[in-house]
Amino acid sequence: MEETIPGTETAQIPQQRGASLLEAAVRYAEERHWDVFPGTWLEAVDGEQRCSCADRACALPGAHPARADWAAQATGSATVARLLWQKQPTASILLPTGRTFDAIDVPETAGFLALARMQRMELTLGPVALTPDRRMRFFVLPGAAAKVPELVRGLGWSPVSLDLAALGEGAYVAAPPTRYGVRGAVQWACPPTRTNRWLPDVAELMSPLAYACGRER
């Protein structure tokens, strides 16, 4: 089954969620060399989909770390990843940032505006994820979190004035096809491909990202 985000490449979301999560986690580790770790999952309780953390008010049901030591659990081994998801096939796929990539988090509308501008400028792009809570995450080289405040100031903005955040060491992102409760699944706006294996430096993308976020103010 295919789900298409307007204006983007098609992201394939397999029907069998349990199998697809395991396969996707292994593929991220094996093909992209990304560290992965299993997060919480969704459970059917009284006809409702609830987070395995048992918090009925969970802000990210089925899409956050299940353990406090998640950073130590993350693995870049496809073999270990397969074993982890075989134990809990419906666990979300979480990727720690600050290792092989950082992520720039912006609102969905600003993200699509920036993405269109980047494509017109023929900028090098890495994978870009779209979350069900209407956020877009641009994958860039590690170290971005330390650079972003100065880059934003250099473009004439105050870092606190823009809805733009850099996710680096100590943070994580959810990867497709992880679901956020009943809100839907994380998708790729720009999926991982052979051509975007080499990530851009955040400085290359900051101007269109800051411009788009500034228009959203």
Side-chain angles (χ1 to χ4, degrees):
M1 176 182 178
E2 293 185 347
E3 296 182 7
T4 304
I5 304 171
T8 68
E9 297 180 59
T10 298
Q12 292 195 1
I13 311 296
Q15 289 273 27
Q16 296 298 322
R17 180 171 175 262
S20 71
L21 284 162
L22 185 154
E23 293 163 2
V26 171
R27 187 169 64 250
Y28 294 145
E30 187 171 55
E31 297 180 7
R32 301 299 294 200
H33 304 294
W34 290 342
D35 284 1
V36 299
F37 68 96
T40 52
W41 56 92
L42 296 173
E43 298 177 332
V45 180
D46 297 329
E48 297 180 5
Q49 290 289 314
R50 297 183 188 172
C51 186
S52 61
C53 73
D55 180 0
R56 298 192 66 173
C58 180
L60 293 172
H64 64 85
R67 298 166 38 159
D69 64 342
W70 61 264
Q73 186 188 25
T75 178
S77 165
T79 300
V80 175
R82 183 176 297 279
L83 292 173
L84 289 171
W85 268 269
Q86 283 176 340
K87 292 179 181 178
Q88 182 49 256
T90 58
S92 53
I93 303 173
L94 305 180
L95 313 175
T97 51
R99 299 187 183 187
T100 52
F101 65 87
D102 281 4
I104 307 303
D105 177 274
V106 299
E108 176 187 294
T109 50
F112 277 122
L113 177 63
L115 188 59
R117 192 175 185 194
M118 291 172 189
Q119 290 169 338
R120 288 196 301 271
M121 297 168 67
E122 298 184 347
L123 296 180
T124 298
L125 285 172
V128 182
L130 180 64
T131 70
D133 54 356
R134 303 183 69 83
R135 305 294 296 183
M136 201 174 260
R137 286 157 177 177
F138 291 75
F139 286 31
V140 295
L141 288 172
K147 298 178 181 179
V148 163
E150 193 59 35
L151 289 171
V152 171
R153 291 189 193 97
L155 293 167
W157 298 95
S158 166
V160 297
S161 69
L162 299 181
D163 187 1
L164 181 154
L167 305 177
E169 187 174 359
Y172 64 89
V173 297
T178 295
R179 297 190 67 84
Y180 284 27
V182 297
R183 283 176 274 177
V186 182
Q187 299 183 55
W188 290 117
C190 293
T193 66
R194 292 181 180 178
T195 58
N196 66 12
R197 184 174 297 278
W198 303 106
L199 301 178
D201 187 271
V202 66
E204 301 172 47
L205 308 186
M206 189 47 58
S207 178
L209 284 170
Y211 169 79
C213 288
R215 285 192 55 176
E216 286 294 302
R217 296 175 67 202

